[in-house]
Amino acid sequence: MSTVFAGMAASLDGYIASAGGELDWLNDAMVRGEDYGFSATMQRTGAYVMGADTYRETARFSGSGGDSTPTYVVTHARSLEGQPSNVQRYSGDLRNLVTELREETDKDICVFGGADLVTQFIDLNLLDELTVSVVPVLLGGGVHFFGRLGEWKRLTLAECKQFEKSGIVLLTYRLNGSEGR
Amino acid sequence: MSTVFAGMAASLDGYIASAGGELDWLNDAMVRGEDYGFSATMQRTGAYVMGADTYRETARFSGSGGDSTPTYVVTHARSLEGQPSNVQRYSGDLRNLVTELREETDKDICVFGGADLVTQFIDLNLLDELTVSVVPVLLGGGVHFFGRLGEWKRLTLAECKQFEKSGIVLLTYRLNGSEGR
């Protein structure tokens, strides 16, 4: 069965974006030659789920049609700007979406963001795997990744990978007693 | 020269205390037989610096006189409850305190908390080393460790230590270009 996973890069103090929206802190930290798993993540993904804001950001950077993987944008909007054929809007129950996607693909399901959507997936016990790339910087303010949860969620550390040059640490956890299906 | 260091345990979402103040999430995560470095930390410490709230909490748990290491409580209060002989109040400039302590001891200086005090040390570029023990749990709310900073602080990863049983990960960073003196 597909694993539902999410990943993000955050400063040590837990911000995914600086107060001013700059990305220097992240881009400057990454070192050429270190494999942060972007390509492996794309290869394992059979479907993307993302929020409307994240979709707009992604479309802005990558243009439409950069990737033909089925993509579901969780939104109540009636239409999406420049919507390519692999992108669908979804406004229903997230549990049903996961059930449907698992019928459509044997590959994994990537919850691409934003933070609110990932938090909903966690709260509904729909997320199986979470990777945080801890970037060695303190931003001291900005956008927090993690939102409010209805209850504590215990995690199981699956992998801890340290990058020598950049000092980035990838922490991968399983949720819901999932053993990494 | 003494290293000025701080350490803390935090949930993956960056909380050092749950909204209700419970410590189960931390106590339940720790596994007997894993050495989280408490003893090594005590041995390297020549002086503790802490805020008044942290002092009251510590005194409540350990009683006075549990440890004879010189301790400086940063406070404007005129007196401290049950103040043992190794404890002094300090209300001056933190830079001067560090200078004075480095003259007093060759061992390291532990900034014991709370979060506000550690943030002040970071903001003033007085902290050389920071260890975060990432506990595999999402609390979804509570007390954030890291406070607002005047500017970004780049860190250098010095150590990444993974505990197999508990899934706790200790991340140790150097600040200010310090190489771990």
Side-chain angles (χ1 to χ4, degrees):
Chain A
M1 197 162 68
S2 308
T3 295
V4 181
F5 73 99
M8 57 124 175
S11 64
L12 180 64
D13 48 354
Y15 297 105
I16 51 169
S18 70
E22 305 91 351
L23 284 173
D24 313 16
W25 62 276
L26 179 56
N27 293 331
D28 291 356
M30 292 190 287
V31 170
R32 197 176 290 269
E34 289 188 345
D35 178 6
Y36 305 118
F38 300 133
S39 164
T41 298
M42 284 179 69
Q43 280 172 24
R44 70 184 279 201
T45 300
Y48 290 99
V49 181
M50 61 181 75
D53 289 345
T54 303
Y55 173 71
R56 273 188 292 271
E57 283 294 306
T58 309
R60 188 162 67 86
F61 282 115
S62 64
S64 57
D67 185 335
S68 60
T69 306
T71 298
Y72 295 80
V73 180
V74 178
T75 177
H76 289 285
R78 296 242 177 131
S79 67
L80 291 172
E81 216 176 315
Q83 184 178 341
S85 60
N86 64 311
V87 175
Q88 294 187 45
R89 284 171 291 119
Y90 186 85
S91 61
D93 190 300
L94 294 177
R95 293 181 194 85
N96 297 340
L97 177 60
V98 169
T99 304
E100 288 168 27
L101 291 181
R102 282 189 163 137
E103 284 167 11
E104 279 180 28
T105 182
D106 290 331
K107 295 174 84 178
D108 294 333
I109 300 162
C110 176
V111 185
F112 199 74
D116 285 350
L117 187 65
V118 176
T119 300
Q120 285 181 60
F121 269 79
I122 295 172
D123 231 358
L124 292 167
N125 295 320
L126 291 173
L127 200 76
D128 300 313
E129 183 189 308
L130 176 64
T131 298
V132 180
S133 302
V134 184
V135 179
V137 64
L138 297 172
L139 293 182
V143 180
H144 271 295
F145 179 73
F146 289 106
R148 299 272 148 189
L149 295 174
E151 54 177 18
W152 298 355
K153 302 283 178 190
R154 300 212 177 263
L155 311 172
T156 304
L157 183 68
E159 193 184 1
C160 169
K161 189 171 180 183
Q162 173 186 355
F163 292 95
E164 295 294 339
K165 285 182 187 164
S166 61
I168 291 172
V169 177
L170 257 69
L171 302 173
T172 300
Y173 297 89
R174 311 271 178 224
L175 289 84
N176 310 326
S178 149
E179 294 299 329
R181 296 171 291 210
Chain B
M1 196 162 69
S2 307
T3 294
V4 180
F5 73 100
M8 55 123 176
S11 63
L12 180 64
D13 49 352
Y15 298 105
I16 50 170
S18 70
E22 305 90 351
L23 284 173
D24 312 16
W25 62 276
L26 179 56
N27 293 330
D28 291 356
M30 292 190 287
V31 170
R32 197 175 290 270
E34 288 187 346
D35 177 7
Y36 305 117
F38 301 134
S39 165
T41 297
M42 284 179 68
Q43 282 172 22
R44 69 184 280 201
T45 300
Y48 290 99
V49 181
M50 61 180 77
D53 288 346
T54 302
Y55 172 72
R56 272 188 295 269
E57 282 295 305
T58 309
R60 187 162 67 87
F61 281 115
S62 64
S64 57
D67 185 335
S68 60
T69 306
T71 297
Y72 296 80
V73 180
V74 178
T75 179
H76 289 284
R78 297 244 174 126
S79 67
L80 293 171
E81 215 174 315
Q83 182 179 341
S85 59
N86 63 313
V87 175
Q88 294 188 44
R89 285 172 291 116
Y90 185 84
S91 60
D93 188 300
L94 295 177
R95 293 181 195 85
N96 296 340
L97 176 60
V98 169
T99 304
E100 287 169 29
L101 291 181
R102 281 190 163 136
E103 283 166 12
E104 279 181 28
T105 181
D106 290 330
K107 294 174 84 177
D108 292 333
I109 299 163
C110 177
V111 185
F112 199 74
D116 285 351
L117 187 65
V118 176
T119 300
Q120 284 181 61
F121 269 78
I122 294 172
D123 231 359
L124 294 167
N125 295 320
L126 291 173
L127 200 74
D128 299 314
E129 182 189 307
L130 175 63
T131 297
V132 179
S133 302
V134 183
V135 179
V137 65
L138 297 172
L139 294 182
V143 180
H144 271 294
F145 179 72
F146 289 105
R148 300 271 147 187
L149 294 173
E151 54 177 19
W152 298 356
K153 301 286 179 189
R154 301 210 176 264
L155 311 172
T156 304
L157 182 67
E159 192 182 3
C160 169
K161 190 172 180 182
Q162 172 186 356
F163 292 95
E164 295 293 339
K165 285 183 188 165
S166 61
I168 291 172
V169 176
L170 257 69
L171 301 174
T172 300
Y173 297 90
R174 311 274 177 224
L175 289 83
N176 310 326
S178 149
E179 295 297 327
R181 296 171 288 215

